[in-house]
C-alpha cells in the first residue's frame, strides 16, 4: 500500500465509508455540545442562565443533527457509527429537555439530582460496551470513548456521592470534546486532501 493511500478506516474513523461519509459530521455534533456542557461542569462558565448556552446545541445540533448523521450511517452499513450517533443524539435531546421540564414544573427540583444520577448511570452502561466496540475501530476514536467513559463515571460519582467531582468530570469532558473534534477534522481534511494529513491510528484487520 502506498504511503499516502487512505483506507476506509483512516479517512473517517469508521470502517464503512460512503462518498459523503457522515462520521465527521456526527463527531462534530457530539464534540461541540460536549464542549459547551463541559465548560459548565468544569466551572469555567457559570451554571446560571448563561450556563444554559448548551441547551440549544443539545436539542438541535448535538441532538437532531447527530441523529441524522446516525441515520446516514445506516446507509453505509456501519452499525457502530449508526448506534453511536443516534444514541448520543437522543442523549442530548433527553438531557436538554430535563432543565426545560424542571422549569415548567413537570419534574420537581428536589428529584433532579437523583434523576440525573440514574440517567447518567444508564448512559455509562451504554458507553461501556461502545468503548469495547471502539477497540476495533481506530486509536483516535477509541480515545474518544475512553475519555467519554471516564467522564460518565466521574459524573456518576459526582451526582451520587460528591458534587465536587463534577468539576473533574467537566475537564475530562473537555478532553473528550477535543479528541472528537480531532477525529472529525481528520475525516474532513484527509478526505479533501486525498491523503493522511491528520493520522488517527487506523487498526489493521
Amino acid at each position: 500500500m502506498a504511503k499516502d493511500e487512505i483506507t476506509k478506516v483512516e479517512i473517517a474513523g469508521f470502517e464503512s465509508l460512503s462518498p459523503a461519509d457522515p462520521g465527521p459530521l456526527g463527531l462534530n455534533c457530539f464534540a461541540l455540545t460536549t464542549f459547551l456542557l463541559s465548560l459548565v461542569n468544569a466551572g469555567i462558565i457559570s451554571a446560571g442562565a448563561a450556563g444554559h448556552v448548551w441547551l440549544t446545541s443539545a436539542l438541535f445540533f448535538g441532538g437532531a443533527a447527530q441523529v441524522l448523521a446516525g441515520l446516514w450511517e445506516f446507509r453505509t452499513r456501519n452499525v457502530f457509527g449508526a448506534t453511536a450517533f443516534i444514541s448520543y443524539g437522543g442523549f442530548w435531546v433527553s438531557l436538554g429537555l430535563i432543565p426545560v421540564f424542571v422549569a415548567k414544573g413537570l419534574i420537581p427540583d428536589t428529584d433532579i439530582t437523583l434523576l440525573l444520577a440514574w440517567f447518567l448511570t444508564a448512559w455509562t452502561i451504554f458507553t461501556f460496551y461502545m468503548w469495547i466496540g471502539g477497540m476495533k475501530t481506530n486509536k483516535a476514536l477509541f480515545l474518544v470513548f475512553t475519555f467519554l467513559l471516564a467522564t460518565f463515571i466521574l459524573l456518576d460519582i459526582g451526582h451520587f456521592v460528591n458534587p465536587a467531582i463534577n468539576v473533574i468530570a467537566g475537564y475530562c469532558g473537555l478532553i473528550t470534546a477535543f479528541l472528537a473534534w480531532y477525529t472529525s477534522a481528520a475525516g474532513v481534511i484527509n478526505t479533501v486532501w486525498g491523503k493522511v494529513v491528520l493520522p488517527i491510528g487506523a487498526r489493521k484487520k
Side-chain angles (χ1 to χ4, degrees):
M1 181 180 295
K3 182 178 180 181
D4 290 337
E5 184 177 350
I6 303 175
T7 66
K8 291 182 178 181
V9 176
E10 288 172 330
I11 291 178
F14 299 106
E15 292 187 359
S16 298
L17 177 69
S18 65
D21 180 49
L25 169 63
L27 284 166
N28 181 39
C29 295
F30 175 80
L32 188 145
T33 315
T34 300
F35 174 76
L36 292 176
L37 181 56
S38 295
L39 288 174
V40 178
N41 289 334
I44 298 174
I45 293 179
S46 170
H52 287 93
V53 66
W54 63 276
L55 271 177
T56 52
S57 292
L59 295 174
F60 297 103
F61 193 58
Q66 190 173 183
V67 167
L68 288 174
L71 292 174
W72 290 322
E73 284 286 12
F74 275 123
R75 293 180 59 85
T76 70
R77 298 182 179 180
N78 183 357
V79 65
F80 186 89
T83 303
F85 291 145
I86 295 176
S87 296
Y88 289 116
F91 164 81
W92 283 117
V93 173
S94 301
L95 185 63
L97 287 175
I98 290 176
V100 175
F101 287 171
V102 170
K104 295 292 184 179
L106 299 176
I107 300 176
D109 288 338
T110 55
D111 296 340
I112 190 63
T113 300
L114 185 60
L115 168 65
L116 284 173
W118 286 111
F119 176 81
L120 293 168
T121 299
W123 282 98
T124 304
I125 296 171
F126 170 72
T127 302
F128 174 70
Y129 72 74
M130 292 300 289
W131 173 74
I132 295 175
M135 293 178 182
K136 296 296 289 184
T137 55
N138 61 69
K139 294 178 182 178
L141 192 60
F142 179 63
L143 280 175
V144 172
F145 276 90
T146 298
F147 278 90
L148 178 60
L149 179 59
T151 300
F152 272 117
I153 292 173
L154 289 169
L155 286 171
D156 295 341
I157 297 172
H159 283 76
F160 275 118
V161 182
N162 184 359
I165 303 298
N166 290 330
V167 175
I168 302 175
Y171 283 102
C172 193
L174 289 174
I175 296 173
T176 305
F178 281 111
L179 287 170
W181 261 324
Y182 175 87
T183 311
S184 172
V188 174
I189 295 171
N190 292 351
T191 300
V192 173
W193 283 64
K195 63 180 181 180
V196 177
V197 178
L198 297 176
I200 58 174
R203 299 183 185 277
K204 295 181 179 180
K205 293 185 178 180

